[in-house]
């Protein structure tokens, strides 16, 4: 069965009125909350980044966990590098973000240049685990549209995790001078919570901060690990305050506002992870952000697509084209699609205020569904990294294998931009 060209509701898709505590039907949302179904995203165009080696890595074979973030200046993007297999991606760089080109012709897209070559976090700052993978990056801008009253630090923040161990080694690093990472002083330490909060960063808007004890950022995960019992089985959120420039804390503490241990996954029970649409063994988060001028935190990623009749989630079995997986995989090789989850500020603030009455694992998205595929679209071209560009008011996503046809002998990603509101 062919997939629908436009994201259609999956029935049932439970939503929840976090303000009134009353369940309601898809897709109504309260005032101040963004609805992707009511206001679908608009694909603005794409670009690519030079896939040639630069420094310690390149964009060849970035695989399905390519992290990206807004760069150290307008028109720049932070990117992770080549995937090293189980060991993940310890490399990151900064590139220019060229002008968008509409349509889906990757060969016509403008090419961004690498302006800060790839660095290996394990070489730069001893203490990261041996199989460290970068799970998120953030440039802490000195001035930021979401919080103009706060003076940022100019640091690049790196979150890392161990694919297998999850909680060994440092998982939080700082490049003190984000505009010159080669000569920057580096520092790394531990962030509480291990792999549940290992580094994808979300700016907290100024108008929200008092609800979260003055915290400046959320850290989150949900990217998938070898041992599901050590991961958050749903998007997680830890409210914390960014260390000041030069500050070297022994531990980054924070307050949990959303977390889904294996005993309490987002879908409800561990058994339901075999079939649940909201979250399952194949679900991955690409990135998260607060949508400006709304009360919404949005997560995007990719997910199992059951719209293929007869498809299941299997473990170490052979799929319909004869490929045997070494873990969980869809029985139908094309049964993967982009996905999104929308959460309410009010629901998260309630957890922060009283986690006993409102446990972090009880939060649910008020809307979730398939995200329209990118202009560069087939079943392999999934969102594997994402951030919100506050200079252009666009969501930017890294598209797995999107530039494979552009660069010879490469499985480099392309990049897509969307207008949300």
């Amino acid at each position: 069965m062919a997939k629908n060209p436009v994201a259609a509701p999956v029935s049932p898709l439970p939503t929840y009125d976090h303000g009134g505590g009353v369940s309601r039907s898809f897709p109504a949302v309260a005032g101040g909350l963004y609805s992707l179904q009511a206001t679908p995203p608009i694909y603005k165009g794409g670009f690519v980044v030079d896939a040639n080696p630069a420094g310690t890595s390149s964009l060849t074979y970035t695989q399905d966990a390519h992290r990206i973030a807004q760069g150290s200046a307008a028109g720049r993007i932070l990117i992770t590098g080549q995937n090293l297999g189980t060991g993940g991606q310890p490399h990151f760089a900064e590139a220019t973000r060229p002008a968008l080109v509409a349509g889906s012709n990757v060969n016509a897209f403008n090419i961004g240049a690498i302006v800060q070559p790839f660095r290996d976090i394990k070489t730069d700052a001893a203490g990261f685990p041996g199989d460290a993978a970068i799970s998120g990056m953030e440039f802490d801008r000195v001035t930021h549209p979401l919080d103009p009253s706060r003076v940022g630090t100019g640091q690049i923040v790196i979150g890392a995790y161990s694919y297998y161990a999850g909680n060994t080694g440092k998982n939080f690093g700082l490049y003190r001078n984000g505009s010159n990472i080669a000569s920057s002083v580096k520092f790394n330490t531990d962030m509480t919570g291990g792999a549940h909060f290992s580094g994808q960063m979300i700016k907290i808007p100024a108008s929200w901060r008092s609800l979260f004890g003055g915290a400046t950022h959320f850290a989150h995960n949900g990217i998938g690990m070898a041992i599901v019992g050590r991961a958050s089985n749903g998007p997680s959120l830890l409210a914390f305050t960014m260390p000041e420039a030069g500050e070297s804390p022994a531990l980054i503490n924070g307050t949990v506002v959303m977390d889904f241990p294996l005993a309490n996954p987002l879908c409800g029970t561990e058994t339901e992870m075999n079939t649940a649409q909201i979250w399952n063994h194949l679900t991955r988060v690409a990135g998260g952000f607060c949508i400006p001028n709304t009360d919404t935190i949005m997560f995007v990623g990719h997910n199992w697509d059951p719209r293929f009749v007869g498809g299941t989630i299997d473990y170490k079995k052979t799929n319909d084209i004869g490929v045997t997986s070494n873990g969980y995989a869809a029985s139908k090789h094309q049964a993967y699609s982009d996905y999104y989850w929308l959460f309410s500020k009010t629901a998260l603030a309630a957890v922060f205020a009283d986690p006993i009455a409102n446990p972090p694992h009880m939060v649910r998205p008020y809307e979730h569904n398939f995200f329209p595929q990118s202009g560069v679209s087939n079943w392999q071209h999934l969102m594997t990294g994402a951030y919100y560009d506050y200079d252009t008011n666009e969501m930017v996503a890294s598209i797995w294998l999107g530039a494979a046809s552009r660069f010879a002998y490469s499985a480099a990603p392309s990049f897509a931009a969307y207008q949300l509101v």
Side-chain angles (χ1 to χ4, degrees), residues 16 56 243 266 335 361 366 395:
Y16 191 78
T56 60
L266 178 60
H361 66 267
Y366 65 83
M395 184 193 97

Side-chain angles (χ1 to χ4, degrees), residues 40-336:
I42 299 171
Y43 173 66
K44 303 292 287 185
F47 64 95
V48 293
V49 170
D50 189 348
N52 289 312
T56 60
S57 191
S58 70
L59 279 178
T60 302
Y61 301 113
T62 55
Q63 301 302 331
D64 62 348
H66 186 231
R67 299 300 161 214
I68 60 177
Q70 191 161 12
S72 65
R76 292 191 177 190
I77 179 174
L78 294 173
I79 52 177
T80 56
Q82 183 174 347
N83 185 282
L84 301 179
T86 301
Q89 303 156 327
H91 309 276
F92 81 104
E94 186 175 42
T96 58
R97 189 196 141 173
L100 297 174
V101 174
S104 60
N105 183 1
V106 176
N107 291 324
F109 286 176
N110 292 319
I111 302 176
I114 303 293
V115 290
Q116 294 205 70
F118 286 97
R119 306 285 304 184
D120 186 332
I121 62 169
K122 295 188 297 183
T123 301
D124 280 349
F128 284 113
D131 62 346
I134 294 175
S135 52
M137 302 167 291
E138 170 72 16
F139 177 71
D140 187 32
R141 293 174 65 161
V142 175
T143 58
H144 197 281
L146 282 188
D147 194 354
S149 63
R150 174 179 174 264
V151 178
T153 63
Q155 303 173 114
I156 288 179
V157 190
I158 299 291
Y161 76 107
S162 170
Y163 182 68
Y164 280 107
N167 297 306
T168 60
K170 306 296 184 182
N171 65 348
F172 185 94
L174 295 171
Y175 283 71
R176 302 295 195 183
N177 182 359
S179 61
N180 189 345
I181 62 176
S183 62
S184 174
V185 174
K186 293 89 176 174
F187 167 76
N188 64 358
T189 187
D190 293 305
M191 172 174 276
T192 185
H196 286 233
F197 314 104
S198 60
Q200 291 183 283
M201 310 293 171
I202 297 177
K203 299 274 192 186
I204 297 178
S207 61
W208 295 25
R209 288 184 58 193
S210 62
L211 298 174
F212 299 98
T216 62
H217 290 74
F218 295 120
H220 76 93
N221 212 322
I223 59 180
M225 298 178 64
I227 302 175
V228 68
R230 294 175 179 165
S232 178
N233 298 285
S236 59
L237 286 173
L238 179 84
F240 75 99
T241 298
M242 187 69 65
E244 296 296 330
E247 186 180 357
S248 302
L251 177 69
I252 307 294
N253 275 308
T255 301
V256 179
V257 295
M258 188 163 68
D259 187 30
F260 301 98
L262 187 57
N264 302 107
L266 178 60
C267 59
T269 67
E270 183 179 355
T271 300
E272 290 176 282
M273 289 180 66
N274 293 314
T275 58
Q277 186 61 64
I278 190 172
W279 192 272
N280 54 69
H281 287 296
L282 304 184
T283 310
R284 300 290 182 266
V285 168
F289 42 85
C290 298
I291 302 176
N293 303 314
T294 73
D295 292 334
T296 297
I297 291 183
M298 180 173 186
F299 293 93
V300 294
H302 54 272
N303 202 350
W304 175 54
D305 190 340
R307 292 176 290 184
F308 288 82
V309 176
T312 58
I313 296 175
D314 295 335
Y315 183 70
K316 294 188 176 181
K317 291 186 178 181
T318 303
N319 69 9
D320 60 331
I321 59 171
V323 177
T324 301
S325 171
N326 61 0
Y328 287 101
S331 64
K332 305 287 188 178
H333 73 284
Q334 292 183 325
Y336 299 87

